[in-house]
PDB file of all heavy atoms in Angstrom:
ATOM      1  N   ARG A   2       7.170  15.884  10.001  1.00 87.00           N
ATOM      2  CA  ARG A   2       6.286  14.725   9.954  1.00 87.00           C
ATOM      3  C   ARG A   2       5.179  14.975   8.947  1.00 87.00           C
ATOM      4  O   ARG A   2       4.694  16.082   8.804  1.00 87.00           O
ATOM      5  CB  ARG A   2       5.689  14.455  11.327  1.00 87.00           C
ATOM      6  CG  ARG A   2       6.749  14.014  12.336  1.00 87.00           C
ATOM      7  CD  ARG A   2       6.191  13.793  13.698  1.00 87.00           C
ATOM      8  NE  ARG A   2       5.820  12.462  14.102  1.00 87.00           N
ATOM      9  CZ  ARG A   2       6.548  11.359  14.029  1.00 87.00           C
ATOM     10  NH1 ARG A   2       7.728  11.395  13.463  1.00 87.00           N
ATOM     11  NH2 ARG A   2       6.128  10.218  14.475  1.00 87.00           N
ATOM     12  N   ALA A  26       5.202  -4.435  10.440  1.00 96.00           N
ATOM     13  CA  ALA A  26       6.447  -3.915   9.872  1.00 96.00           C
ATOM     14  C   ALA A  26       6.354  -2.410   9.665  1.00 96.00           C
ATOM     15  O   ALA A  26       7.311  -1.676   9.939  1.00 96.00           O
ATOM     16  CB  ALA A  26       6.764  -4.629   8.557  1.00 96.00           C
ATOM     17  N   LEU A  27       5.215  -1.931   9.185  1.00 96.00           N
ATOM     18  CA  LEU A  27       5.042  -0.494   8.980  1.00 96.00           C
ATOM     19  C   LEU A  27       5.082   0.256  10.306  1.00 96.00           C
ATOM     20  O   LEU A  27       5.658   1.337  10.391  1.00 96.00           O
ATOM     21  CB  LEU A  27       3.728  -0.219   8.248  1.00 96.00           C
ATOM     22  CG  LEU A  27       3.724  -0.643   6.782  1.00 96.00           C
ATOM     23  CD1 LEU A  27       2.306  -0.666   6.246  1.00 96.00           C
ATOM     24  CD2 LEU A  27       4.607   0.263   5.960  1.00 96.00           C
ATOM     25  N   ALA A  28       4.491  -0.319  11.336  1.00 96.00           N
ATOM     26  CA  ALA A  28       4.475   0.327  12.655  1.00 96.00           C
ATOM     27  C   ALA A  28       5.867   0.431  13.252  1.00 96.00           C
ATOM     28  O   ALA A  28       6.108   1.284  14.112  1.00 96.00           O
ATOM     29  CB  ALA A  28       3.550  -0.437  13.596  1.00 96.00           C
ATOM     30  N   SER A  29       6.791  -0.410  12.787  1.00 96.00           N
ATOM     31  CA  SER A  29       8.146  -0.387  13.352  1.00 96.00           C
ATOM     32  C   SER A  29       9.141   0.404  12.502  1.00 96.00           C
ATOM     33  O   SER A  29      10.329   0.431  12.824  1.00 96.00           O
ATOM     34  CB  SER A  29       8.648  -1.825  13.533  1.00 96.00           C
ATOM     35  OG  SER A  29       8.866  -2.428  12.277  1.00 96.00           O
ATOM     36  N   LEU A  30       8.661   1.078  11.460  1.00 97.00           N
ATOM     37  CA  LEU A  30       9.572   1.882  10.645  1.00 97.00           C
ATOM     38  C   LEU A  30      10.123   3.049  11.456  1.00 97.00           C
ATOM     39  O   LEU A  30       9.418   3.619  12.297  1.00 97.00           O
ATOM     40  CB  LEU A  30       8.854   2.418   9.400  1.00 97.00           C
ATOM     41  CG  LEU A  30       8.469   1.387   8.353  1.00 97.00           C
ATOM     42  CD1 LEU A  30       7.718   2.059   7.203  1.00 97.00           C
ATOM     43  CD2 LEU A  30       9.684   0.646   7.842  1.00 97.00           C
ATOM     44  N   PRO A  31      11.365   3.440  11.210  1.00 96.00           N
ATOM     45  CA  PRO A  31      11.955   4.545  11.979  1.00 96.00           C
ATOM     46  C   PRO A  31      11.189   5.846  11.772  1.00 96.00           C
ATOM     47  O   PRO A  31      10.778   6.165  10.654  1.00 96.00           O
ATOM     48  CB  PRO A  31      13.376   4.642  11.417  1.00 96.00           C
ATOM     49  CG  PRO A  31      13.348   3.939  10.103  1.00 96.00           C
ATOM     50  CD  PRO A  31      12.265   2.918  10.174  1.00 96.00           C
ATOM     51  N   GLY A  32      10.980   6.565  12.871  1.00 96.00           N
ATOM     52  CA  GLY A  32      10.317   7.865  12.805  1.00 96.00           C
ATOM     53  C   GLY A  32       8.884   7.793  12.315  1.00 96.00           C
ATOM     54  O   GLY A  32       8.387   8.769  11.762  1.00 96.00           O
ATOM     55  N   SER A  33       8.227   6.648  12.525  1.00 97.00           N
ATOM     56  CA  SER A  33       6.883   6.450  11.982  1.00 97.00           C
ATOM     57  C   SER A  33       5.965   5.783  13.001  1.00 97.00           C
ATOM     58  O   SER A  33       6.429   5.062  13.882  1.00 97.00           O
ATOM     59  CB  SER A  33       6.936   5.545  10.745  1.00 97.00           C
ATOM     60  OG  SER A  33       7.797   6.068   9.765  1.00 97.00           O
ATOM     61  N   ARG A  34       4.668   6.039  12.833  1.00 96.00           N
ATOM     62  CA  ARG A  34       3.679   5.331  13.641  1.00 96.00           C
ATOM     63  C   ARG A  34       2.367   5.267  12.867  1.00 96.00           C
ATOM     64  O   ARG A  34       2.000   6.205  12.150  1.00 96.00           O
ATOM     65  CB  ARG A  34       3.478   5.979  15.003  1.00 96.00           C
ATOM     66  CG  ARG A  34       2.791   7.311  14.980  1.00 96.00           C
ATOM     67  CD  ARG A  34       2.709   7.932  16.394  1.00 96.00           C
ATOM     68  NE  ARG A  34       2.057   9.217  16.318  1.00 96.00           N
ATOM     69  CZ  ARG A  34       0.793   9.438  16.680  1.00 96.00           C
ATOM     70  NH1 ARG A  34       0.062   8.480  17.177  1.00 96.00           N
ATOM     71  NH2 ARG A  34       0.271  10.654  16.568  1.00 96.00           N
ATOM     72  N   GLU A  63       1.908   8.175  10.062  1.00 97.00           N
ATOM     73  CA  GLU A  63       2.602   9.428  10.339  1.00 97.00           C
ATOM     74  C   GLU A  63       4.093   9.120  10.323  1.00 97.00           C
ATOM     75  O   GLU A  63       4.539   8.187  10.994  1.00 97.00           O
ATOM     76  CB  GLU A  63       2.179   9.978  11.699  1.00 97.00           C
ATOM     77  CG  GLU A  63       2.760  11.346  12.001  1.00 97.00           C
ATOM     78  CD  GLU A  63       2.284  11.865  13.330  1.00 97.00           C
ATOM     79  OE1 GLU A  63       2.618  11.245  14.360  1.00 97.00           O
ATOM     80  OE2 GLU A  63       1.582  12.886  13.341  1.00 97.00           O
ATOM     81  N   THR A  64       4.846   9.879   9.540  1.00 97.00           N
ATOM     82  CA  THR A  64       6.247   9.513   9.353  1.00 97.00           C
ATOM     83  C   THR A  64       7.148  10.720   9.131  1.00 97.00           C
ATOM     84  O   THR A  64       6.701  11.753   8.628  1.00 97.00           O
ATOM     85  CB  THR A  64       6.385   8.532   8.161  1.00 97.00           C
ATOM     86  OG1 THR A  64       7.736   8.078   8.086  1.00 97.00           O
ATOM     87  CG2 THR A  64       5.960   9.161   6.843  1.00 97.00           C
ATOM     88  N   GLU A  65       8.399  10.554   9.517  1.00 97.00           N
ATOM     89  CA  GLU A  65       9.440  11.526   9.221  1.00 97.00           C
ATOM     90  C   GLU A  65      10.199  11.136   7.956  1.00 97.00           C
ATOM     91  O   GLU A  65      11.041  11.891   7.487  1.00 97.00           O
ATOM     92  CB  GLU A  65      10.426  11.613  10.395  1.00 97.00           C
ATOM     93  CG  GLU A  65       9.803  12.155  11.664  1.00 97.00           C
ATOM     94  CD  GLU A  65      10.747  12.118  12.856  1.00 97.00           C
ATOM     95  OE1 GLU A  65      11.889  11.625  12.715  1.00 97.00           O
ATOM     96  OE2 GLU A  65      10.340  12.575  13.926  1.00 97.00           O
ATOM     97  N   LEU A  66       9.900   9.967   7.408  1.00 97.00           N
ATOM     98  CA  LEU A  66      10.577   9.501   6.205  1.00 97.00           C
ATOM     99  C   LEU A  66      10.148  10.327   5.000  1.00 97.00           C
ATOM    100  O   LEU A  66       9.020  10.806   4.933  1.00 97.00           O
ATOM    101  CB  LEU A  66      10.242   8.028   5.948  1.00 97.00           C
ATOM    102  CG  LEU A  66      10.668   7.018   7.015  1.00 97.00           C
ATOM    103  CD1 LEU A  66      10.077   5.656   6.720  1.00 97.00           C
ATOM    104  CD2 LEU A  66      12.192   6.951   7.111  1.00 97.00           C
ATOM    105  N   HIS A  74      11.643   1.301   2.115  1.00 97.00           N
ATOM    106  CA  HIS A  74      11.227   0.448   3.231  1.00 97.00           C
ATOM    107  C   HIS A  74      10.093  -0.489   2.811  1.00 97.00           C
ATOM    108  O   HIS A  74      10.088  -1.668   3.179  1.00 97.00           O
ATOM    109  CB  HIS A  74      10.792   1.295   4.432  1.00 97.00           C
ATOM    110  CG  HIS A  74      11.934   1.856   5.219  1.00 97.00           C
ATOM    111  ND1 HIS A  74      12.727   1.100   6.055  1.00 97.00           N
ATOM    112  CD2 HIS A  74      12.420   3.120   5.301  1.00 97.00           C
ATOM    113  CE1 HIS A  74      13.643   1.855   6.615  1.00 97.00           C
ATOM    114  NE2 HIS A  74      13.482   3.099   6.171  1.00 97.00           N
TER     115      HIS A  74
END
Side-chain angles (χ1 to χ4, degrees):
R2 293 178 96 51
L27 289 166
S29 69
L30 291 178
S33 303
R34 70 184 179 103
E63 185 178 64
T64 186
E65 295 175 358
L66 298 171
H74 282 286

